[in-house]
Amino acid sequence: AQTVTQSQPEMSVQEAETVTLSCTYDTSESDYYLFWYKQPPSRQMILVIRQEAYKQQNATENRFSVNFQKAAKSFSLKISDSQLGDAAMYFCAYQSSNTGKLIFGQGTTLQVKP
Amino acid sequence: DTAVSQTPKYLVTQMGNDKSIKCEQNLGHDTMYWYKQDSKKFLKIMFSYNNKELIINETVPNRFSPKSPDKAHLNLHINSLELGDSAVYFCASSQAGLAGHLNTGELFFGEGSRLTVL
C-alpha cells in the first residue's frame, strides 16, 4: 500500500523569505502523480502544484516549485518570496495511476511572519 | 458558479440520527469522491464513483452509504450517527487523465461539510 509522510507538523517563515516543505512517499508503482494542496483556515482545498512521475523536470507554478527525486521517493515544495496569504496547512498527496485514489500526508502547518 | 458544491456546510445532530450530505459538480467530470478529515486534519478517502459506478470503497462502516444518481451527483448518507463520525467531509471530482488510466488528475474539492455529533 502506498503511504505519504510529511515529517514537519509545523513550519515558520519570514515574509519574503523562502521555505521548503518536505514530503516522502512509498510505492511500488512506477507511474503515479504527486500533488501539493493548500488548505487555508477557510477549509477549502486548493491545488498548488502537480508533478507527473514520468516527467524528470521539476514542476513550477510562479513562486511555487518542487524538488522531485523519484529514486529517493521525495517530493518537497519550495515557496519563494513567502506572502502572508501563503499561511495555511499544506498537504502532500500521491495519486495511483491504477485507481486514481489520492492519498494524503499528515499535513504541515505553515506560519508566515510579517 | 461553484464547481463542486456540498450541502449542508454545517450539520449538528444527535447520536443515533440519520443524516445526508449532498454533492454536485458542474465540471463534467466522470469521477467523484468522498473524503473524511478528522480532528487532527488527516484526510482519508472513503468512496469513489466513476460514472455512477462504485470503484473505491475503503474500510468504512456499513452505516455510511454513498449514492450516485448520475455522474454529476454523489450523496453520502450516514445511519445511526456516532460521536466518532464528527469530522469534515469533503466531496471531490476529477476527470480522467492519460489514456489507459482509470482516473488520474487533479481533484477539485468542495468546501467541506462539518458534521458534529452530540
Side-chain angles (χ1 to χ4, degrees), chain A:
Chain A
Q2 297 88 11
T3 58
V4 179
T5 302
Q6 292 177 249
S7 58
Q8 305 154 317
E10 295 179 355
M11 290 285 283
S12 172
V13 63
Q14 206 69 36
E15 196 175 5
E17 296 294 309
T18 296
V19 65
T20 298
L21 307 184
S22 301
C23 173
T24 58
Y25 59 94
D26 190 27
T27 184
S28 57
E29 297 179 331
S30 59
D31 190 13
Y32 50 88
Y33 296 77
L34 297 164
F35 302 87
W36 278 96
Y37 276 87
K38 169 186 176 181
Q39 187 178 38
S42 67
R43 195 169 80 195
Q44 181 72 47
M45 294 290 289
I46 303 163
L47 179 70
V48 174
I49 200 165
R50 99 178 232 174
Q51 175 82 42
E52 290 87 346
Y54 63 86
K55 289 186 178 177
Q56 292 186 339
Q57 188 173 7
N58 289 326
T60 300
E61 285 289 338
N62 300 316
R63 297 183 295 108
F64 299 87
S65 61
V66 298
N67 183 2
F68 173 47
Q69 302 289 327
K70 191 171 183 179
K73 295 179 183 171
S74 169
F75 183 61
S76 60
L77 174 69
K78 185 171 84 171
I79 306 174
S80 303
D81 186 24
S82 296
Q83 300 175 359
L84 294 177
D86 294 335
M89 192 150 192
Y90 286 81
F91 291 95
C92 178
Y94 169 101
Q95 185 178 46
S96 166
S97 62
N98 291 325
T99 66
K101 185 167 73 171
L102 201 62
I103 300 165
F104 287 91
Q106 304 92 322
T108 297
T109 300
L110 177 65
Q111 182 185 29
V112 181
K113 297 178 180 176

